Amino acid sequence: MEKERSGCDQDRALQPSDTIASTIAQSSASGRTESGIETGGNVAITESNIVDQQDAEPEMMGSQETVAPPSRLLLRYLYIGHFLARWGARMWEFSVALYFISLWPSSLLFAAIYGTVESASSALFGGVVGKWVDTSTYTKVLRIWLLTQNFSFLIAGGMVLVLLFHSNLKSTNFMAFISLVILICFSGAVGVLSALAGSIMIEREWVVVISEGHPPETLTQMNSVIRRIDLICKLFAPVASGFFVSFASLKASAVAFALWNFASVWLAYWLMNSVYSGIPALRESNRRRKQQIPSDGTKGRVSTLEGGTLHDEASVHGTEEKSLMRRKMNLIMNSSFMVSWRIYLRQEVVLPGVALALLYFTVLSFGTLMTAYLKWEGIPAYVIGIGRGISATIGITATLLYPLLHSRISTLRTGLWSIWCQWTFLIVCAASIWVQNKHLSVSMLMGGVATSRLGLWMFDLSVTQLMQDNVPECDRGAVGGVQNSLQSSMELMSGIMGIIISDPLDFWKLTLGSFLAATLAPILYSLHVYHVRKHLFHMEKLLIMVKWPRKSS
């Protein structure tokens, strides 16, 4: 494990002043909770530590004063570029369900298969993508992310157009039909993986680097704006696609989607490249990355481990077969996939990450399966788009409330209140199963999902900030990739459920399973909060509230 952290150690050697600052931050953080209550941590603050901190504080304050505030123009460039990338991804996420349900109107099978392929690719390669972001320069990630994402979606949209213009292809040439469906699934999965790389770099890396040296509220505000942009795209992209489908045609929607991806990639790249070129902190962070990447492109850590393993193998066993087996096992255990997961599992924020991932084991969102089900129920596409827009609007409200709540009760407790808030609203969705009136049942389902976004997105922001605050810089990409991989694994399981239970009449079973997963998530997060704070509620305040009426009577 120590060898896996060699990159971090090199980075610290390059920046001794950063080492002092991080040591002070870690010492104070491990001795106190976010609410300022002593937790009895493992770090003992000695007199020498206090002296070191006092000597280092003027240096830190001086360095913070010299850090120029982020340029508002460049921050706007960052937000606009992020908007352009997320808009295309959200258009595809909503429209693909409508495309597949139109190709096979009597079943959710195609929609479930696509969701399964997409989730499986993210689950298998999410950690690898995150580790690649960690070990690549910002400029390289920027180019590959935007070009691959937009052109993958462009190919997928083109294949959809072919199927829509040749609607009888399923009966006349079934093999060609299946080949095009496979190509759509593959292109969509590649586009989603590319979008994942961009999200990790922007949300887990750039916002943290840009906010360094500034008050903590800067990072909180940037997180909220980034999430708000994503939700705005969830609000308007489905509405735009829904109106295209309802008042023009599916073909017009596919054409608009393809044109958007072709046109937006160039503007998005110029904006993001301008942000990188204009913010010195990003260039400095990129320089440190280059120094950590070996010139031959290989990972020195793996080759060192292999050499040591082969030497030990020859001295102990002395057989080539066992040496070959050990070398293969060594390559597997030190692959980017395994290393990323080991890095993730040793983080202190594992339980919050797992709790967030469990919320993705659901059909209770305006995703592929629920959109296809609502369309089967006879709900017009523009109504589904408006419902999804309302859901996103409530999510945007959550991003506005999060900084206010965070400033009062800290990140940890904000997550606790928000996840139980989400669970409370999802009770309405579970109750809709037993409502006989179809219109009322569908209304309860859509309403419960929409209102639950208030808690969901505040919880998402809480977990994101917990990871930003507690994960080392050199591990952010790997942890972010594994987190997305874990979330995609949960989506994959829900997609498999959709394949197994593909009859729309049995959608209630998917709803019930989703609610059970959404119940386990707050329980796990509550366990984490109790482990950190040693309590969930301030019992003395509750006792005062109970005793007060007695005194007044």
Side-chain angles (χ1 to χ4, degrees):
M1 290 299 177
E2 292 297 325
K3 293 183 179 180
E4 292 174 14
R5 301 302 294 266
S6 59
C8 300
D9 296 336
Q10 292 174 8
D11 193 17
R12 295 190 185 100
L14 292 169
Q15 289 185 299
S17 60
D18 290 347
T19 305
I20 297 173
S22 61
T23 303
I24 295 172
Q26 291 173 1
S27 300
S28 60
S30 53
R32 291 182 179 272
T33 62
E34 293 177 281
S35 58
I37 301 173
E38 292 290 333
T39 60
N42 296 327
V43 179
I45 301 178
T46 62
E47 183 178 353
S48 61
N49 288 353
I50 296 174
V51 174
D52 293 340
Q53 291 180 19
Q54 291 174 347
D55 293 338
E57 280 177 1
E59 180 181 348
M60 291 174 60
M61 292 176 63
S63 62
Q64 287 184 359
E65 291 176 355
T66 59
V67 176
S71 168
R72 291 186 178 182
L73 178 62
L74 292 177
L75 287 182
R76 290 194 186 100
Y77 282 2
L78 174 67
Y79 298 148
I80 294 172
H82 185 65
F83 168 81
L84 293 174
R86 295 311 298 162
W87 181 276
R90 291 304 185 184
M91 282 184 69
W92 174 252
E93 179 184 291
F94 175 77
S95 301
V96 66
L98 301 180
Y99 298 147
F100 278 125
I101 199 67
S102 68
L103 294 174
W104 201 313
S106 60
S107 176
L108 303 177
L109 183 61
F110 274 8
I113 289 175
Y114 173 80
T116 301
V117 172
E118 180 185 297
S119 301
S121 63
S122 297
L124 291 174
F125 301 111
V128 177
V129 170
K131 194 62 180 174
W132 173 74
V133 172
D134 270 340
T135 55
S136 301
T137 61
Y138 290 151
T139 52
K140 181 179 179 181
V141 174
L142 188 61
R143 287 193 302 267
I144 295 179
W145 155 40
L146 289 174
L147 290 175
T148 307
Q149 174 186 327
N150 285 273
F151 282 102
S152 295
F153 286 150
L154 180 63
I155 293 172
M159 295 305 100
V160 166
L161 275 174
V162 173
L163 288 176
L164 292 176
F165 276 106
H166 298 84
S167 56
N168 60 342
L169 192 63
K170 183 171 61 176
S171 56
T172 59
N173 193 339
F174 188 73
M175 288 304 298
F177 174 80
I178 292 298
S179 299
L180 290 174
V181 170
I182 292 174
L183 185 57
I184 291 172
C185 293
F186 177 78
S187 299
V190 172
V192 168
L193 284 175
S194 304
L196 172 60
S199 296
I200 291 173
M201 187 178 73
I202 300 300
E203 298 177 11
R204 312 266 177 176
E205 284 282 344
W206 279 23
V207 296
V208 179
V209 173
I210 293 172
S211 64
E212 284 177 351
H214 301 282
E217 294 78 13
T218 303
L219 177 60
T220 301
Q221 186 64 29
M222 291 186 69
N223 283 333
S224 298
V225 173
I226 290 291
R227 184 62 64 214
R228 195 175 306 141
I229 290 170
D230 190 32
L231 292 173
I232 287 172
C233 293
K234 288 190 74 171
L235 166 61
F236 291 107
V239 173
S241 297
F243 273 92
F244 262 110
V245 172
S246 298
F247 300 106
S249 65
L250 279 171
K251 298 174 184 177
S253 171
V255 169
F257 173 74
L259 291 176
W260 170 268
N261 282 279
F262 179 77
S264 64
V265 59
W266 315 109
L267 178 58
Y269 180 78
W270 178 79
L271 290 168
M272 291 298 187
N273 192 57
S274 298
V275 173
Y276 168 76
S277 302
I279 297 182
L282 292 177
R283 298 198 303 273
E284 175 63 22
S285 179
N286 195 58
R287 183 188 64 80
R288 295 198 301 268
R289 283 169 168 260
K290 286 183 179 179
Q291 294 178 345
Q292 294 176 26
I293 301 173
S295 58
D296 60 355
T298 60
K299 294 184 179 179
R301 178 181 66 247
V302 176
S303 60
T304 301
L305 288 173
E306 287 179 15
T309 302
L310 291 175
H311 175 75
D312 294 340
E313 195 70 35
S315 61
V316 177
H317 299 286
T319 62
E320 292 186 359
E321 291 184 358
K322 290 185 178 180
S323 178
L324 181 61
M325 181 67 69
R326 179 65 63 88
R327 182 167 56 183
K328 289 181 178 179
M329 290 299 298
N330 189 60
L331 288 173
I332 293 173
M333 295 304 296
N334 290 285
S335 64
S336 295
F337 180 85
M338 296 300 296
V339 170
S340 298
W341 274 94
R342 289 203 297 271
I343 291 173
Y344 180 83
L345 291 175
R346 68 167 175 249
Q347 304 298 323
E348 296 178 357
V349 289
V350 170
L351 277 183
V354 173
L356 178 61
L358 279 171
L359 300 180
Y360 286 78
F361 182 67
T362 184
V363 297
L364 298 177
S365 67
F366 286 92
T368 304
L369 281 173
M370 182 170 161
T371 299
Y373 168 72
L374 294 174
K375 185 68 176 176
W376 176 83
E377 285 281 13
I379 307 299
Y382 75 93
V383 174
I384 301 174
I386 291 174
R388 182 167 176 157
I390 294 173
S391 174
T393 302
I394 295 174
I396 293 170
T397 304
T399 66
L400 297 172
L401 290 177
Y402 174 75
L404 299 176
L405 198 59
H406 176 273
S407 64
R408 293 178 178 271
I409 62 174
S410 78
T411 309
L412 198 66
R413 286 193 290 168
T414 300
L416 182 66
W417 287 103
S418 59
I419 193 171
W420 281 109
C421 171
Q422 191 229 8
W423 178 83
T424 302
F425 285 119
L426 287 180
I427 294 176
V428 179
C429 300
S432 69
I433 296 173
W434 289 276
V435 176
Q436 298 299 321
N437 186 287
K438 185 184 74 171
H439 296 291
L440 179 58
S441 177
V442 169
S443 298
M444 290 177 63
L445 177 65
M446 295 177 67
V449 169
T451 52
S452 69
R453 305 302 94 169
L454 182 67
L456 172 64
W457 291 115
M458 283 199 294
F459 181 68
D460 180 274
L461 283 167
S462 299
V463 174
T464 297
Q465 191 152 350
L466 283 174
M467 290 185 171
Q468 290 171 337
D469 291 339
N470 293 281
V471 176
E473 178 183 357
C474 55
D475 293 338
R476 287 178 194 145
V479 171
V482 173
Q483 179 63 37
N484 280 276
S485 178
L486 193 58
Q487 292 167 186
S488 297
S489 299
M490 296 295 106
E491 287 184 321
L492 172 62
M493 293 174 63
S494 65
I496 293 174
M497 279 204 317
I499 294 175
I500 297 172
I501 309 173
S502 59
D503 189 344
L505 292 173
D506 294 329
F507 190 79
W508 67 270
K509 298 177 182 178
L510 302 177
T511 301
L512 187 59
S514 302
F515 180 73
L516 293 177
T519 303
L520 180 59
I523 294 175
L524 290 180
Y525 187 79
S526 299
L527 290 175
H528 172 75
V529 173
Y530 184 81
H531 174 73
V532 173
R533 303 179 68 219
K534 307 306 179 187
H535 65 277
L536 294 178
F537 306 101
H538 293 285
M539 295 302 298
E540 65 277 7
K541 294 183 179 180
L542 293 177
L543 290 174
I544 292 175
M545 293 175 62
V546 172
K547 292 178 180 180
W548 178 256
R550 295 180 180 178
K551 292 181 179 181
S552 60
S553 60

